Amino acid sequence: MNKRKILITSALPYANGSIHLGHLVEYIQTDIWSRFQKIQGHEVYYICADDAHGTPIMLRAETEGVTPEKLISLMYNEHLRDFTNFHIKFDNYYTTHSPETSYYSKDIYNKLKDAGLIAIRNIEQFYDPVKNMFLPDRFIKGECPKCSAKDQYGDNCEACGAAYAPNDLINPYSVISGTPPITKNSEHFFFRLSDHRCIDFLRCWTNEADHLQPEVANKMQEWLGGAGEKKLSDWDISRDAPYFGFEIPDAPGKYFYVWLDAPIGYMGSFKNFCEKNNIDFDEFWGENATTELYHFIGKDILYFHALFWPAMLKNTGYRIPTKIFAHGFLTINGEKMSKSRNTFITARSYLEQGLDPEYLRYYYAAKLNGTMEDIDLNFVDFIARVNSDLVGKYVNIASRAAGFLVNHFNCQVTNLSNQNTTHLSPELKKFKPNLVEELLKSADVIQAYLENRHYSLAISTIMTLTGKVNEYWDQQKPWEKAKQLDDITQRDALHIASSTTIECFRILTIFLKPIVPELAKRAEAFLNIQPLHWKDLWNALPQGHKINTYRHLMTRINQTQIDALIDTNKQVLGLSMDNTSSQNNIKIQQYIVTPISKIIL
RNA sequence: AGCGAAUUAGCUCAGCCGGUUAGAGCGACGGAAUCAUAAUCCGCAGGUCCCCAGUUCGAAUCUGGGAUUCGCUACCA
């Protein structure tokens, strides 16, 4: 097998809100893929960071009476702690507010400028005369021009659904100071995305070599337009002071818009990692890099990752991503995550109920399929699936067979291929290799499913095999054989059945390891073996290998834990939410803010 | 509003380049077993494949219309 060199990223969580179950879809999806590639024996780095800049962070720090630096440092710790507790294993978790990201932001900007791809234009924007700052559209509210509903955002009305521009609002006001905004001119810097160098490149890139999922590629065609059409316009990459971010070189009072430096944060975080571990940065980011680079993202930020980002890299002498993997949103019980239904659940509140993170990892894997479709977390299904598959079927295999080996065979397994089998019946000799081989025969298809992010199909394949092992065990009736231990044939048959079953458990553990790494670790301890890799599929436990006494590897989910989770969530939300009833998932996400008193732990 | 996606058993989902009686897991029901955390195994029942029309010898699968849900329509993180 040739060893691949792979750099993997997840999108950078914004340093303004807590990690919730929706975020975790992405980090769990990515982490499974990263762990899968690692146990294949490839050289893999999984990199992420907090996205630390922008107006919302600046304003929130002000509201909380701390510096932005203090705020993002607190959020950084909270995020990393939550991820770690869900067994998300980054090789480096950093922040965009770093010298490395600053360096690459300026480097990329300067190269774009030298290439003639930066334009400076005067634009008119809303301005808060009290706060002395320009206002993004979302910071302006007013009455809907159509239905007169109050307190509507500048883009559309949540009461009647009308779409309009901010200056159509009746009695507009700044969300920050409450005063009516005025309009004001200012110079802005634009990345000339409409330049033919960008458009021609993107037309090719988005359509070739499976850089994008098919449905994403179609979407990009829509955004790019056909040949001759000019749908892409230039991208405004500057913001005026006051702003929390990096100042643009030779442009006092002008800052890079947070979305410019966010993806560059992937480079910054990796550079930071390279310095600490003596790894060649250019091998992964140089123009002609032959290593692989994958970005896992949500479908909401495709624009940035499939258009702006490749166009920036293409024109500044860096490599282009190998592929972009976009996933859908999470719904809960078939509905969007919602505060009023108490289904806006943070990572923290899940853990505080004592729910095992492996449950959620397993469940998400059972739902994920490599497309951009949304996935649903249905609590009834969640409980049934985890309890039935993971505990009832998989873990139960070890629990059923272990006692016989411990009680009658000094904890030792027998390996049929290494022992004298002359006294066994032909059926018995056949059975074990057949079952083990049947499991091993599925290795390739499971591997392919995981590689292609069809986790749900991988899981259903693994669970079919798990069912077969339980079936085999039932057919063997070891509990009957255990009553006739004086009969050498029965005794050997019992030893073979138990050892075969444990060997199958070992194989299933390898299959499941990227998905439920901590459960796999407990299984390894039970089996008394070194950490398993994919190649170990074909290295059966040797003759005479001793396993440990079985202890519970996983307990079942209790309905009361789920009830408590929803109840607790209700209280937490009541304390920390503002009362906007936004229809928009992303907006909700942005305004979910943990009071700072809660994050200073 | 325009564009796109989805709609299959009680629940969660496969199937979908047209072709034999529409599949799985869970749940329900019946049975077996008692090694295992009441876990497991066997059997059985459940579906006008959103609706209407069309193409076809034949449609869950293709076309058109409709309903519902969701998303995108950048300068919003």
Side-chain angles (χ1 to χ4, degrees), chain A residues 87-370:
Chain A
H87 312 146
I88 312 292
K89 195 176 179 196
F90 299 114
D91 290 285
N92 202 45
Y93 195 81
Y94 202 42
T95 170
T96 56
H97 193 62
S98 67
E100 294 89 344
T101 305
S102 171
Y103 171 82
Y104 286 109
S105 298
K106 287 165 185 166
D107 179 63
I108 284 176
Y109 168 79
N110 283 328
K111 285 173 177 166
L112 289 175
K113 194 176 168 187
D114 291 346
L117 286 169
I118 298 292
I120 300 178
R121 283 203 285 273
N122 229 300
I123 64 164
E124 187 175 71
Q125 278 180 294
F126 287 102
Y127 187 83
D128 185 322
V130 175
K131 282 293 285 186
N132 291 316
M133 61 177 285
F134 286 95
L135 294 166
D137 287 358
R138 69 173 40 201
F139 285 88
I140 299 164
K141 285 180 147 187
E143 289 170 33
C144 169
K146 202 167 177 182
C147 75
S148 296
K150 289 193 190 309
D151 300 324
Q152 295 304 313
Y153 286 101
D155 49 358
N156 67 327
C157 173
E158 284 162 5
C160 73
Y164 44 79
N167 43 5
D168 297 329
L169 285 170
I170 301 162
N171 298 324
Y173 64 90
S174 159
V175 170
I176 302 164
S177 69
T179 53
I182 59 172
T183 56
K184 191 169 167 177
N185 282 302
S186 167
E187 264 189 354
H188 273 242
F189 295 65
F190 290 79
F191 171 32
R192 294 181 52 207
L193 204 64
S194 61
D195 188 279
H196 68 87
R197 281 171 288 177
C198 294
I199 292 186
D200 294 348
F201 161 69
L202 287 172
R203 284 225 169 87
C204 292
W205 187 81
T206 54
N207 247 333
E208 66 183 16
D210 294 330
H211 292 130
L212 305 171
Q213 294 133 291
E215 69 270 31
V216 176
N218 290 339
K219 195 71 184 168
M220 291 305 111
Q221 287 315 109
E222 211 176 287
W223 281 338
L224 282 163
E229 274 185 287
K230 213 171 178 182
K231 284 195 165 181
L232 283 186
S233 45
D234 296 343
W235 180 34
D236 184 351
I237 56 161
S238 71
R239 292 295 183 272
D240 288 286
Y243 195 78
F244 183 56
F246 296 131
E247 201 163 28
I248 298 179
D250 306 318
K254 305 286 178 190
Y255 289 79
F256 288 126
Y257 172 46
V258 57
W259 258 114
L260 180 100
D261 58 61
I264 295 173
Y266 300 139
M267 299 168 87
S269 181
F270 188 64
K271 176 68 175 177
N272 175 257
F273 177 72
C274 289
E275 294 298 316
K276 289 188 291 192
N277 295 280
N278 198 24
I279 290 163
D280 182 7
F281 179 88
D282 293 334
E283 192 183 0
F284 287 87
W285 286 99
E287 189 159 21
N288 299 311
T290 54
T291 53
E292 301 168 52
L293 170 63
Y294 301 100
H295 299 305
F296 285 79
I297 60 166
K299 61 184 181 180
D300 52 325
I301 55 174
L302 266 170
Y303 220 100
F304 301 98
H305 286 81
L307 296 180
F308 299 165
W309 180 231
M312 283 160 66
L313 293 167
K314 173 67 179 174
N315 290 291
T316 52
Y318 291 107
R319 67 95 44 83
I320 320 296
T322 311
K323 292 184 184 184
I324 310 282
F325 297 137
H327 61 80
F329 290 139
L330 178 73
T331 56
I332 294 189
N333 293 334
E335 310 266 357
K336 279 189 234 186
M337 292 197 294
S338 126
K339 286 177 285 179
S340 57
R341 288 173 208 279
N342 306 315
T343 52
F344 206 102
I345 300 168
T346 62
R348 184 58 22 198
S349 62
Y350 176 97
L351 294 168
E352 280 169 356
Q353 288 312 315
L355 288 159
D356 191 332
E358 306 281 276
Y359 299 154
L360 194 69
R361 294 179 64 106
Y362 179 79
Y363 189 72
Y364 281 175
K367 291 304 201 61
L368 280 165
N369 66 4

